[in-house]
Amino acid sequence: MTRFTLPRDVYHGKDALEVLKTFDGTKAMVCVGGGSMKKFGFLDKVSDYLKEAGMEVQIFDGIEPDPSVETVMKGAAAMLAFQPDWIVAIGGGSPIDAAKAMWIKYEYPDITFEDMCKVFGIPKLRKKASFCAISSTSGTATEVTAFSIITDYEKGIKYPIADYEITPDVAIVDPELAHTMPKKLIAHTGMDAMTHAIEAYVSTANSDYTDPLALHAISMIKEHLIPSYNGDLESRNRMHNAQCLAGMAFTNALLGIVHSMAHKTGAAFDDFHAHIIHGAANAMYLPKVIAYNAKDPSAAKRYAAIADHIHLGGDSVEEKIRLLIDFLRSMNKELNIPLCIKQYGADSYPCEEGFVPEKVFLERLPEIAVNAIADACTGSNPRQPSPEEMEKLLKCCYYDTEVDF
């Protein structure tokens, strides 16, 4: 038996935010990140709509990019003091992910972060509050997923929390919020969405229910990401839908080792001021992982099917996979994303010598490889790498060398 789970309601399109006026409840805690949602007036809109629905509203702001365990605990304490019956998270993946983890701790104050990270081991939620997620970026799709990524900065590791209990009750996908994204964020979140769709399609947990969502998302991203990056607002609107479809696919089909590697390298070099942004990491690693996974015949056929679906050409499975890899690398170049860790430089842009020194990378490689294999996303990858293979694959991602194993 296989499960397919999405939010009870997904409100999408222009003015979708106004549905907040119809919510039933007495208190709402609104979780938000930096100043962009306030700057562009969306935080005020959310607060006003909830008040119009008859609720007392409290704001928990300042949730950082790649939210920490400490932020989660602080937010949960604020919820315990306020006792909301609605948790409303607005912004990119970070505030929504953080609010999901706060929600768990709010409903179960004695739960530890370690217990929260046990895959599909969270107890029943919704005894205290319902959850609404409002996405402002076009990539993570956390507004429709059963996942949350929280960073333990002491260990330098990102931990995925995975359980259908944290799938939001309501998702609001209003394209107007995505119009505020800076150019770099459009690039990173767009390639994050592409990675979600491709990994979902080749995951060992793929199904007839997830395949159409993944393939259509890939087509839409191929057509609309570059125009969105270059300022086309209609393509920006379509990307907001595409990333949500990719999220619907991967929350049910799961992911693979592109995400495992991204989770475990993201904060591994923070002491060198080299935090590898999640979307950029996925973009760099995806072509290498496709080459690695394509040694599996079933995965190879699926990658070839993706190439066919987006009309890349090719006469053989091998040629179609090569064309898919080349296409993704060309997208990275157009989006000004580095092709490898060695070239990951200031502000995430390509350069000759990046932030992560070769010596430091090689010293930390064995531990990163072990951690990546232990990541929750590895289990549904088409090939199960050994520690030695994971180290070799990460080296390919560092040096931009061919994957021949």
Side-chain angles (χ1 to χ4, degrees):
M1 181 174 66
T2 305
R3 181 173 177 176
F4 184 86
T5 302
L6 296 174
R8 171 66 176 80
D9 293 296
V10 178
Y11 295 94
H12 57 95
K14 190 175 183 298
D15 299 325
L17 209 58
E18 291 189 21
V19 74
L20 292 168
K21 297 176 185 178
T22 68
F23 280 22
D24 289 326
T26 59
K27 291 183 177 182
M29 173 76 81
V30 179
C31 300
V32 67
S36 65
M37 290 298 96
K38 186 173 185 178
K39 175 183 174 183
F40 294 107
F42 295 116
L43 182 58
D44 285 342
K45 275 188 178 181
V46 166
S47 182
D48 289 345
Y49 290 155
L50 290 167
K51 289 174 182 175
E52 195 172 330
M55 292 194 224
E56 182 184 349
V57 177
Q58 187 173 110
I59 309 296
F60 183 88
D61 60 5
I63 297 171
E64 73 275 36
D66 301 299
S68 65
V69 177
E70 289 75 19
T71 295
V72 168
M73 298 306 166
K74 184 179 175 183
M79 289 177 186
L80 283 164
F82 183 59
Q83 293 290 306
D85 48 17
W86 272 101
I87 297 166
V88 178
I90 177 172
S94 295
I96 298 174
D97 279 6
K100 286 179 176 179
M102 294 170 190
W103 183 26
I104 302 168
K105 185 73 174 174
Y106 168 50
E107 299 232 356
Y108 293 93
D110 294 332
I111 198 169
T112 64
F113 181 68
E114 289 71 24
D115 286 339
M116 289 162 64
C117 292
K118 291 176 181 175
V119 178
F120 297 105
I122 293 171
K124 292 285 184 184
L125 298 179
R126 297 166 180 83
K127 294 179 179 179
K128 292 183 179 180
S130 299
F131 193 99
C132 172
I134 307 167
S135 56
S136 68
T137 61
S138 301
T140 69
T142 189
E143 72 274 7
V144 294
T145 75
F147 302 100
S148 164
I149 308 300
I150 305 298
T151 302
D152 185 330
Y153 285 96
E154 286 187 12
K155 296 180 180 177
I157 296 176
K158 292 183 178 182
Y159 288 96
I161 300 172
D163 198 293
Y164 289 116
E165 283 299 313
I166 61 171
T167 302
D169 299 287
V170 177
I172 297 176
V173 188
D174 189 324
E176 188 180 358
L177 278 71
H179 293 178
T180 65
M181 285 193 296
K183 202 167 184 179
K184 184 176 74 171
L185 190 59
I186 293 167
H188 292 163
T189 56
M191 289 308 293
D192 192 18
M194 179 67 93
T195 305
H196 290 156
I198 291 176
E199 287 210 292
Y201 190 71
V202 300
S203 161
T204 56
N206 72 75
S207 72
D208 289 340
Y209 292 81
T210 59
D211 284 352
L213 293 164
L215 287 174
H216 190 53
I218 292 166
S219 291
M220 290 179 72
I221 296 166
K222 176 180 182 281
E223 181 178 353
H224 294 290
L225 177 53
I226 301 299
S228 173
Y229 178 74
N230 290 324
D232 184 277
L233 289 184
E234 179 54 34
S235 283
R236 190 84 47 85
N237 296 347
R238 298 296 302 279
M239 274 300 302
H240 211 43
N241 289 337
Q243 64 86 30
C244 189
L245 296 177
M248 292 177 180
F250 91 77
T251 191
N252 291 286
L254 307 180
L255 292 166
I257 59 172
V258 178
H259 274 77
S260 302
M261 294 156 64
H263 292 154
K264 292 343 184 202
T265 53
F269 308 103
D270 274 7
D271 51 333
F272 285 84
H273 306 288
H275 191 98
I276 302 177
I277 296 170
H278 180 70
N282 282 338
M284 291 189 292
Y285 307 161
L286 179 59
K288 302 303 181 187
V289 170
I290 290 174
Y292 172 78
N293 282 341
K295 305 296 189 293
D296 175 85
S298 296
K301 288 179 183 176
R302 290 206 146 236
Y303 288 128
I306 290 172
D308 285 341
H309 188 74
I310 56 177
H311 311 294
L312 295 182
D315 295 322
S316 65
V317 168
E318 291 76 16
E319 186 181 6
K320 290 172 184 180
I321 293 168
R322 181 181 60 77
L323 289 169
L324 177 60
I325 291 171
D326 290 347
F327 165 70
L328 293 168
R329 286 172 64 87
S330 72
M331 283 192 80
N332 287 346
K333 290 176 183 176
E334 287 194 67
L335 296 167
N336 209 17
I337 296 174
L339 296 178
C340 62
I341 299 170
K342 189 176 182 181
Q343 296 173 356
Y344 187 89
D347 209 21
S348 80
Y349 293 125
C351 66
E352 285 298 317
E353 288 295 330
F355 278 148
V356 182
E358 180 179 27
K359 182 174 182 289
V360 174
F361 173 79
L362 294 173
E363 285 173 353
R364 299 181 185 182
L365 178 59
E367 183 179 3
I368 292 171
V370 169
N371 288 335
I373 289 172
D375 188 89
C377 293
T378 300
S380 48
N381 194 68
R383 286 182 73 187
Q384 292 299 300
S386 65
E388 293 75 23
E389 286 178 326
M390 182 59 82
E391 286 190 33
K392 288 170 69 176
L393 187 54
L394 283 161
K395 281 184 179 179
C396 292
C397 293
Y398 184 85
Y399 296 110
D400 192 22
T401 49
E402 292 296 319
V403 178
D404 57 1
F405 55 93

